[in-house]
Amino acid sequence: MSGKGIRIEGLKKRYGEGDTAVDALKGVDMQVAPGEVVGLIGPSGSGKSTLLKCLGAVIDPTAGRMVLGNEVIYDNGWKARDLRALRRDKIGFVFQAPYLIPFLDVTDNVALLPMLAGVSNGEARAKALELLTALDVQHRARAMPSQLSGGEQQRVAIARGLVNRPPVILADEPTAPLDSERAMAVIRILNDMARKFETAIIVVTHDEKIIPTFKRIYHIRDGVTHEEAGEGQGFE
């Protein structure tokens, strides 16, 4: 893998010590290429949430290796010096709920991250409008979150996740609150954006509606991942 994408090797996470220790991740191996959307599925308690938090630099793994693009960010310890900057600039997040800031309009919700990274207001707003246009919600650019439909809010959340052009996006149950039509629209958008921006996207889901769209699936069981071929319907 070159340029972008993410590679995980032997990732482990242990909570606690001694007799009370729990191994939530026992040796996870994953690889997601630029422009690829893969599914991560598994029962409750299998380690999905722990894995997502490790990948998002929210919690510390216990051991293993993570490579983001050409940069080793974790190798039995964090190699990235500023985890806050890593999360802001290199990892996009899309959640089950949009978590838009209610007192900022749509453009400012998307432009905030690049502004925090030091981008000028004008440039940040231009980046935001470009993505809102790509996601077909540019006509809502000045609207407040409370004025948006659920599908529109999720599109704005996807724009926010993409605005800093991160090599990887972690999407945690992004279609759970949506009906079938809107769920398929969101997964289509994620596929389109992955190809357009060469972003590697990992979608954690229980949503049976979208599982057939993945060409590759990682099934996590008891803290270990197993790669499976998906039905591969995808979106070309």
Side-chain angles (χ1 to χ4, degrees), residues 72-223:
V72 178
I73 62 170
Y74 185 90
D75 192 354
N76 295 313
W78 290 108
K79 302 303 178 185
R81 294 183 178 179
D82 187 340
L83 295 184
R84 184 177 177 181
L86 175 70
R87 289 189 294 268
R88 184 189 65 212
D89 301 335
K90 300 291 184 68
I91 303 168
F93 298 91
V94 178
F95 303 102
Q96 179 174 335
Y99 294 119
L100 302 178
I101 300 173
F103 54 84
L104 295 181
D105 68 20
V106 164
T107 302
D108 284 343
N109 261 281
V110 179
L112 181 62
L113 275 180
M115 287 180 188
L116 292 174
V119 175
S120 69
N121 288 5
E123 185 180 350
R125 291 172 190 277
K127 286 184 174 185
L129 188 57
E130 177 188 359
L131 277 169
L132 293 171
T133 300
L135 292 164
D136 198 27
V137 282
Q138 71 280 4
H139 59 292
R140 308 293 271 158
R142 305 310 302 176
M144 303 303 288
S146 61
Q147 298 173 304
L148 305 180
S149 69
E152 288 172 337
Q153 289 184 15
Q154 197 66 311
R155 289 182 182 222
V156 175
I158 292 170
R160 181 184 56 196
L162 284 162
V163 70
N164 279 341
R165 299 290 191 270
V168 62
I169 283 183
L170 306 175
D172 188 9
E173 300 282 2
T175 63
L178 305 177
D179 60 29
S180 295
E181 183 178 354
R182 290 187 176 124
M184 295 307 289
V186 165
I187 202 67
R188 183 183 294 276
I189 287 167
L190 289 175
N191 277 268
D192 289 345
M193 296 296 101
R195 286 193 295 267
K196 182 174 182 179
F197 298 114
E198 293 190 320
T199 304
I201 300 181
I202 299 172
V203 179
V204 174
T205 188
H206 286 99
D207 192 343
E208 297 289 341
K209 301 186 294 292
I210 67 170
I211 288 174
T213 69
F214 300 117
K215 294 182 179 179
R216 285 201 307 128
I217 293 171
Y218 284 96
H219 198 130
I220 186 166
R221 303 184 188 98
D222 299 321

